[in-house]
């Protein structure tokens, strides 16, 4: 299919987005072309603004617009319970359950020897420093219920248990091999509420 150079450039960039194939890229591109100029500019400004203003929280590595994210800086959160997740995108599904009132720590991935991702490639050292410096009673290991997530949770449990801190994992209800990002709120909420010791 022939497309003007500017349209082809847009299609090429859209296809680089995760989960966007040629047909989806074409639908999005033509939606942008048919949208009024103000709508298209709002979209481009929102993308530029998020790249300029959002960084990682210096404490938990969640997305933040300041030094600390809103969760770490909140006095209403229970800072004695840390929920460890693989990526920042894993936090919103847990927050939507409205059953977890602690804080988070984002690892930035999961252990995967096959892909060359070891403990030094994740924010594990920073987690251990937090556990040494803060009064933490429980660590919830909410990594994804797949091979990499289970491996990461087991590794962290071995590091944390000797510190005398309770280590828990969300209970069953999450599909094995699935991602937290796609879990529904009810299932995820029940799993967080019924977390079990490791």
């Amino acid at each position: 299919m022939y497309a003007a150079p500017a349209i082809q450039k847009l299609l090429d960039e859209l296809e680089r987005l995760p989960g966007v194939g040629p047909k989806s890229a074409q639908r999005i591109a033509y939606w942008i072309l048919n949208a009024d100029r103000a709508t298209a500019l709002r979209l481009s400004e929102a993308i530029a603004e998020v790249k300029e203003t959002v960084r990682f929280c210096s404490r938990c590595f969640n997305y933040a617009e300041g030094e600390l994210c809103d969760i770490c800086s909140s006095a209403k959160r229970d800072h004695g319970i840390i929920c460890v997740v693989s990526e920042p995108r894993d936090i919103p599904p847990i927050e939507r359950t409205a059953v977890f009132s602690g804080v988070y720590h984002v690892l930035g991935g999961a252990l995967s020897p096959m892909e060359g991702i070891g403990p030094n490639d994740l924010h594990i050292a920073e987690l251990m420093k937090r556990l040494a410096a803060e009064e933490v009673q429980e660590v919830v290991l909410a990594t994804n219920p797949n091979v990499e997530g289970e491996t990461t949770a087991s590794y962290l449990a071995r590091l944390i248990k000797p510190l005398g801190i309770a280590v828990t994992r969300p209970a069953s209800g999450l599909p094995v091999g699935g991602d937290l990002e796609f879990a529904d709120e009810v299932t995820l909420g029940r799993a967080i509420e019924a977390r079990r010791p490791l």
Side-chain angles (χ1 to χ4, degrees):
M1 180 195 91
Y2 170 78
I7 296 172
Q8 188 60 53
K9 181 179 177 182
L10 177 60
L11 289 168
D12 292 342
E13 291 304 316
L14 289 171
E15 282 185 46
R16 293 172 56 155
L17 297 172
V20 177
K23 288 186 178 184
S24 295
Q26 191 174 20
R27 279 194 298 276
I28 296 167
Y30 287 115
W31 178 86
I32 291 169
L33 282 167
N34 290 322
D36 59 76
R37 182 173 172 77
T39 300
L41 286 176
R42 277 196 311 274
L43 176 61
S44 67
E45 287 168 4
I47 293 169
E49 181 180 350
V50 79
K51 292 305 292 177
E52 288 294 320
T53 62
V54 176
R55 60 186 60 102
F56 289 111
C57 172
S58 64
R59 182 178 294 154
C60 76
F61 302 96
N62 185 14
Y63 294 126
E65 291 189 21
E67 179 71 16
L68 295 177
C69 69
D70 292 343
I71 295 171
C72 282
S73 58
S74 173
K76 295 179 180 177
R77 302 301 291 228
D78 183 350
H79 291 261
I81 303 176
I82 298 177
C83 182
V84 177
V85 295
S86 297
E87 300 289 348
R89 68 175 175 252
D90 297 329
I91 294 174
I94 295 172
E95 285 295 290
R96 284 194 297 270
T97 69
V99 298
F100 181 72
S101 60
V103 293
Y104 295 90
H105 187 86
V106 180
L107 296 173
L111 294 174
S112 179
M114 298 293 287
E115 294 178 25
I117 301 171
N120 294 335
D121 300 308
L122 305 176
H123 298 296
I124 294 174
E126 293 87 344
L127 172 63
M128 299 310 291
K129 286 178 189 170
R130 282 183 74 182
L131 297 180
E134 300 173 20
E135 293 183 19
V136 178
Q137 292 84 43
E138 179 185 358
V139 174
V140 182
L141 299 175
T143 53
N144 288 319
N146 55 25
V147 173
E148 293 83 6
E150 293 293 337
T151 301
T152 305
S154 295
Y155 177 81
L156 290 173
R158 285 194 306 272
L159 289 179
I160 298 166
K161 279 183 180 178
L163 302 176
I165 298 170
V167 179
T168 59
R169 185 112 170 97
S172 61
L174 294 176
V176 173
D179 290 337
L180 291 177
E181 180 180 7
F182 302 113
D184 67 276
E185 289 86 9
V186 174
T187 301
L188 187 55
R190 286 180 182 160
I192 292 286
E193 282 181 324
R195 58 189 179 270
R196 56 182 164 76
L198 282 181

